Amino acid sequence: MPRTRCRSNLDDVAILEHDESDTRALTQQRFDRMTLAGGDRLPEVDLAGLPDGPTWPALVQTVALLRFRHWFHPYLHKKYGDIYTVRLLPKGRPLIFFTKPEHAKEIFAGDPEIFHAGKGNAILGPVMGEHSLLLQDGAEHKRARKLLMPAFNGHALRTYQEMVTEIARDEVAHWPTDRPFKSHDRMNVLTLEVILRVVFGVTDEKRLAALRPRVNRTVNVSPAVLMVWTIPALHRFGPWKAAVQNQMELDELMYAEIRERRTAPDLAERTDVLSRLIREGEESGDRPSERLSDTELRDQLVTLLLAGHETTATALAWSLYELGRDPELMRRTQAAADEPGPDGDAWLDAVLKESMRLHPVIPMVVRTLMKPQTVAGVDVPRGATVGPSILIAHSRPDNHPDPERFDPERFLGHNPPTNTWIPFGGGVRRCIGAGFAMMEGVAVLREVFKAVDVTAVGTDEPLVRNITSVPRHGARIEVASR
Ligand code: HEM
């Protein structure tokens, strides 16, 4: 396998005290392992007795689910009822969707040794790495989750808030007031900055400048490139060559940051997620095996980046768009932004939650069964996949009356009944960054509405982009200084 990195690209970044060939070898090992693994082999699944669903070819159903899910889910729900089966590539493998809160409860409470979530994310392996929290299952997942959790608890979140606020204030101060712009683009820039500074803890301007484009290229890597990454011969050509080179360079920067941080004199006082993870490993790691290795740290950081960047940006962009369409709600949000403390926060929190209800960023979560199980009365064979449809859970009138209406009051001072609002999934796989996303969202909304009036420009609708659903026209807004 040829090495395709162009060394000179990173020459001006002061990072290379370590052996550069060493980090390239780590990246190469990741690619090789993903190539050898070649995806898990699951058994053929007997489709007899599964809930009804369309009989179209698997290719058509796969495309409908991946590209046209905003039409496909409601169609399936209307035609087949509360539980329906779609058959997907490869080999018409069944994916059974459940739409009622009690169904979601059963799936989220399923034994994690049997209900695997990592399998469905295997395609992200070459980028996220085998240690990624999103890719692991069973004992490995439990261990990684335990090490990551303290960096996302309430105490840790409070220490991130100030930096998020500063980044948001700076971003809003640079918004144009003489023309409309895509709020989704600006929110993507903002949330990336939050990941780089608050999660990775990078402060060196040169390194930040080197990281930004490489991180952006990683986030934007096309599913078509990922799908055939396991064929090493392709790595010498076109988009694969560029993706491999980008990964080599990104890894080099990240390993440099990780190694320097381990020996940083201020490690004990630092509040960023990476420093916490290093400390957590050292404090809880009587046994060296408990500590997170450089490779594990890299894999988890890239996972946090990919899972936490565009998702949060999208929730924020929809919030701005919806508030920008309703002057009364906008004024109420400005009043909340001006009011420091829990009452103001409660309204901003409700805005964000309602935005994620009406525009779910991720449409479904799935678990693949390692043993036959009965789920909501359905006998599901080993190898089949089950999942709650977030899209339907959020749009059922029995869960949320008048579901098409944007109304933050639904969430003000109370939560809706359990499992009727599930934008972050649930159970032991519930989004580890949920609290982080809410803290970040509230801080950003506060800074935006303290500074400007927001008006939505035109209408928008969801567009499928990889696994997330983003505003097709970028949630365009106009702003004026208050
Ligand atoms: C509005 C923003 C976000 C949304 C809508 C969202 C949504 C989700 C969903 C639906 C899952 C799968 C849950 C399941 O399978 O039950 C998930 C998992 C995950 N999310 Fe988020 N997320 C957001 C923000 C974040 C942030 C800010 C981070 C980190 C900084 C993050 C990190 C993760 C990780 C690491 C996982 C895997 C958890 C595991 O498998 O144990 N997410 N997220």
Side-chain angles (χ1 to χ4, degrees), residues 133-134 141 145 307-308 311-312 365 367 423-426 429 431-433:
L133 192 64
L134 266 167
H141 173 262
R145 183 117 183 164
T311 43
T312 314
V365 286
R367 310 283 185 259
F424 296 113
R429 304 301 298 234
C431 175
I432 201 170

Side-chain angles (χ1 to χ4, degrees), residues 193-205:
E193 213 55 29
V194 168
I195 299 266
L196 291 179
R197 290 174 191 265
V198 181
V199 177
F200 294 7
V202 181
T203 43
D204 177 70
E205 269 309 324

